[in-house]
Amino acid sequence: MGDSDVAVVFEEESTMFKRIIGIAVSGLLVVAGIAPWDSAFAGSVENSGVSSTQNTRSNDIGKAGGRQTRAPGAVSQSSEQSENTDSCVPQVGKLASCLVNSSFDYPYDLSFNNAGWDDWARVDPQQGPTSPWQTVSDWSYERFGWNSTQTVSPVGAVEVRRDAESNNRYAEITESQLNTSIYQDIKTVPGATYRWSLRHTSKTRGFVDKMQVVIGAPGQEQVQNNVMRTVSNGNDSVGGPLTEIATKVTNSSPANHEGQWETYEGEYVVPKGETTTRFMFQATASPSYDSGNEVDDITFVKTRSLTYDANGGEQVAYGH
């Protein structure tokens, strides 16, 4: 074996060793409760041969579809799935410390108006589906999770929609009133940083729907100005920061959004003394008073907490 052959073998073994180390470190961090998708760690793992987005949710591609452009360092939603799935269920009368019903799949046997071509359902968070009227035997306000600021009749209604071709469910922020919001109140940890993400699409190509993410203690919410577009449908550029979410689309049908969704992300640091945080989406521009601003696949995950030592120094503790 010549010197060049030895060099090749050494290089291959070195690369394999880096990959093994990267996977082992990632596994240890997960066991320890440390978020391995933090940007600082993601770079070191990627350099070791392990992709930070290789475990993207199966429907991460199916729901976005079409031409996708992902920003460098974009968060894989599979990393956040443990705290943001439909299995996140609070106790009756108590706030959950995680996002509930993040993809609007509860109630699972929901009936829809205009089934097959323009599926929509109106839900009263306290009572259950009201249009079409449906009795859900195990209806739970806590499991549904979502509320609305709508003040016209039907007050507080949340609209859930379903695409005709994919059967994908999502929410439409504008139910029967312009400039309304849907939201959840979540039990949070003061000093902690929460990373959030959502998918957004406009109703159709005839109008660019716009919305804002508003977060804070109930009644003290603030518009988020650090929003990043991390996955594009090909009609917008990735990047930011943005204060308003606006998604250009090409679909003409209001019941088919395959390939139209874009992903937006940001971070929120919970202020001192705030133990309940309202995570809210406000429609700022919709095509009509009763339609527009579709949202889906929402996450809100604690990534790290700030603590303070006796000497006044700032320490960062990672994990959930």
Side-chain angles (χ1 to χ4, degrees), residues 21-312:
I21 291 299
I23 293 171
V25 172
S26 179
L28 289 173
L29 288 173
V30 171
V31 171
I34 298 174
W37 56 89
D38 262 358
S39 57
F41 178 76
S44 62
V45 172
E46 186 171 355
N47 290 335
S48 67
V50 181
S51 171
S52 62
T53 58
Q54 64 184 358
N55 291 323
T56 303
R57 291 171 61 183
S58 59
N59 64 351
D60 195 42
I61 296 175
K63 288 188 176 183
R67 298 174 296 158
Q68 292 188 30
T69 303
R70 181 177 291 274
V75 176
S76 167
Q77 290 192 353
S78 65
S79 302
E80 302 169 341
Q81 198 170 6
S82 61
E83 291 201 32
N84 288 280
T85 66
D86 292 333
S87 63
C88 177
V89 181
Q91 297 180 13
V92 176
K94 295 184 179 180
L95 290 180
S97 58
C98 49
L99 196 72
V100 177
N101 198 18
S102 59
S103 55
F104 304 94
D105 288 330
Y106 177 85
Y108 309 110
D109 57 349
L110 182 64
S111 297
F112 290 87
N113 294 295
N114 304 329
W117 64 279
D118 188 22
D119 301 12
W120 66 275
R122 179 180 295 140
V123 178
D124 181 321
Q126 297 290 342
Q127 301 180 25
T130 59
S131 181
W133 180 266
Q134 179 184 359
T135 300
V136 178
S137 59
D138 65 341
W139 177 257
S140 167
Y141 165 76
E142 288 82 6
R143 291 181 68 185
F144 182 69
W146 297 96
N147 295 278
S148 169
T149 62
Q150 183 164 291
T151 57
V152 302
S153 181
V155 175
V158 177
E159 184 169 328
V160 178
R161 300 188 66 88
R162 181 179 65 186
D163 271 358
E165 295 184 14
S166 66
N167 288 323
N168 175 46
R169 284 200 203 177
Y170 50 93
E172 185 167 82
I173 299 176
T174 306
E175 202 281 325
S176 294
Q177 184 180 16
L178 290 171
N179 302 320
T180 53
S181 306
I182 63 172
Y183 65 90
Q184 278 194 38
D185 289 341
I186 302 171
K187 182 180 178 181
T188 50
V189 178
T193 296
Y194 286 77
R195 179 172 290 165
W196 61 262
S197 68
L198 61 86
R199 292 189 183 282
H200 176 265
T201 185
S202 296
K203 186 82 168 181
T204 66
R205 64 189 182 191
F207 188 89
V208 179
D209 300 359
K210 298 178 182 179
M211 59 160 284
Q212 291 179 318
V213 176
V214 188
I215 310 177
Q220 302 176 32
E221 305 90 348
Q222 299 292 322
V223 174
Q224 301 301 290
N225 57 12
N226 62 343
V227 180
M228 302 292 291
R229 181 185 292 115
T230 57
V231 177
S232 170
N233 60 19
N235 301 311
D236 300 296
S237 299
V238 297
L242 310 169
T243 57
E244 192 170 53
I245 290 173
T247 305
K248 298 175 184 176
V249 299
T250 58
N251 61 296
S252 58
S253 169
N256 180 19
H257 296 92
E258 286 298 294
Q260 307 301 322
W261 298 92
E262 294 187 333
T263 301
Y264 298 83
E265 300 177 8
E267 287 189 343
Y268 176 74
V269 179
V270 181
K272 181 179 179 180
E274 182 177 305
T275 57
T276 298
T277 299
R278 181 159 292 177
F279 185 35
M280 185 161 63
F281 314 129
Q282 181 176 9
T284 55
S286 300
S288 70
Y289 75 93
D290 63 353
S291 69
N293 281 291
E294 329 296 274
V295 290
D296 196 9
D297 291 337
I298 300 159
T299 67
F300 189 79
V301 178
K302 179 161 66 72
T303 60
R304 58 185 183 270
S305 300
L306 281 177
T307 59
Y308 300 90
D309 62 25
N311 298 320

